[in-house]
Amino acid sequence: MSREDVIDRLYDKLKILSDSVWDRHHSLPHIEEWASQFTEAPEIPDDERIQALYLLSNFIYFGQREIRALLVSLYRDLFRAPMIRTIRKRLGGTSDLAALHAEYEHTLAHTRFLGVGNPSESGSHLLYYFRQENSLAKTSFLSSHQIFDRIQNEGAATVRVRDQDVEHYVFIDDLCGSGTQAEEYSRDLVDPLKHLNPNAKVHYLVLFGTTNGLQKIRELNRYDFVDSVFEIDESFKCLSDDSRIFSTGDPHFDRAKTLETCMRLGAQLWPSHPLGYKDGQLLIGFSHNTPDNTLPIFWAETGATKAWTPMFKRYHKIYG
């Protein structure tokens, strides 16, 4: 197959992705603008532009429609179904649907859903869709600052759990990559919550979770339930030895050379994490943002030493 044939084949696939999966938010001219930043070469394995287009053709993108469907699965499969199983077991294995429904409604009334991070971050952003898609009451939701009350008593401040009737706290996020954010959250919120209310159950539920990240969170033993709708194993690290996209044996696409390209450009865009945060190596993005665990060549806009036009722009956290 000639170089032109390979490029045509890639663009045929990318056009389909642009018209369907990407909802035309990332057009062929946009792809061309992004791809033009990579150098070309006569030999296909040496052509950085072809390497980039191949990675792009394997990029996993979730639009608003898909995110809403995943949030239905998160509630139904990771919270509601396990709760009903627990209730049925507690009621001696009953098949009485009315009794199960009544007990579940009682559990739901004593449950609060929260986003991971502050109200401006993606975890909280998802709660709006989560509430709509699962027909939940606004009273079922909290911001993290509403968990505790600070009581001033004779000049000394004490902290207590604001609502002692809450039995389940369910933290929701889009992605658990390295597990760093959930670990920090557990230290700052879950530990004091458990100390003040040992009977509270704390859930950490995400749309996507890497196998290593989820395991790291489970090993903290701070959350009572840790789960994801979709688990991302090591084969999703696109440039690793076990990469699923280079497992086909297609001679046109060389993993080692693509890794070299991504390392070199990534080092100019994000020197401390050239392949994504903590070596994430992911090819994943959402309509509301692109995780920093994804390769920087897709989302970086202004690098440490290089200006760059992103394919899937990332909106960074701004501290100040």
Side-chain angles (χ1 to χ4, degrees), residues 6-24 26-28 31-32 34-35 49-50 52-59 298 311-312:
V6 171
I7 292 175
D8 286 345
R9 188 180 72 178
L10 289 170
Y11 270 105
D12 285 344
K13 182 176 179 180
L14 291 170
K15 186 178 186 308
I16 294 172
L17 291 171
S18 175
D19 291 344
S20 54
V21 179
W22 301 343
D23 296 326
R24 299 190 178 182
H26 304 282
S27 62
L28 289 180
I31 294 171
E32 270 293 290
W34 175 75
R49 182 168 174 244
I50 289 178
L53 292 172
Y54 179 65
L55 292 176
L56 180 59
S57 72
N58 285 278
F59 196 92
F298 286 100
M311 185 66 216
F312 302 98

Side-chain angles (χ1 to χ4, degrees), residues 193-212:
L193 172 60
K194 287 284 200 174
H195 175 73
L196 294 169
N197 185 4
N199 295 322
K201 301 298 182 184
V202 183
H203 308 240
Y204 175 69
L205 307 179
V206 295
L207 300 182
F208 302 89
T210 65
T211 300
N212 290 339

Side-chain angles (χ1 to χ4, degrees), residues 28-99:
L28 289 180
H30 182 198
I31 294 171
E32 270 293 290
E33 181 183 10
W34 175 75
S36 68
Q37 300 171 112
F38 299 87
T39 60
E40 297 179 286
E43 298 298 323
I44 294 174
D46 298 323
D47 193 307
E48 293 181 1
R49 182 168 174 244
I50 289 178
Q51 295 169 11
L53 292 172
Y54 179 65
L55 292 176
L56 180 59
S57 72
N58 285 278
F59 196 92
I60 305 171
Y61 180 85
F62 293 87
Q64 190 178 113
R65 180 176 59 250
E66 291 79 22
I67 292 294
R68 284 177 174 267
L70 288 165
L71 289 169
V72 171
S73 295
L74 186 149
Y75 175 68
R76 180 191 63 212
D77 302 332
L78 305 187
F79 181 76
R80 188 174 185 275
M83 287 297 103
I84 290 176
R85 286 196 295 270
T86 299
I87 292 167
R88 177 178 281 118
K89 183 177 181 180
R90 189 175 72 235
L91 297 180
T94 183
S95 298
D96 185 335
L97 296 181

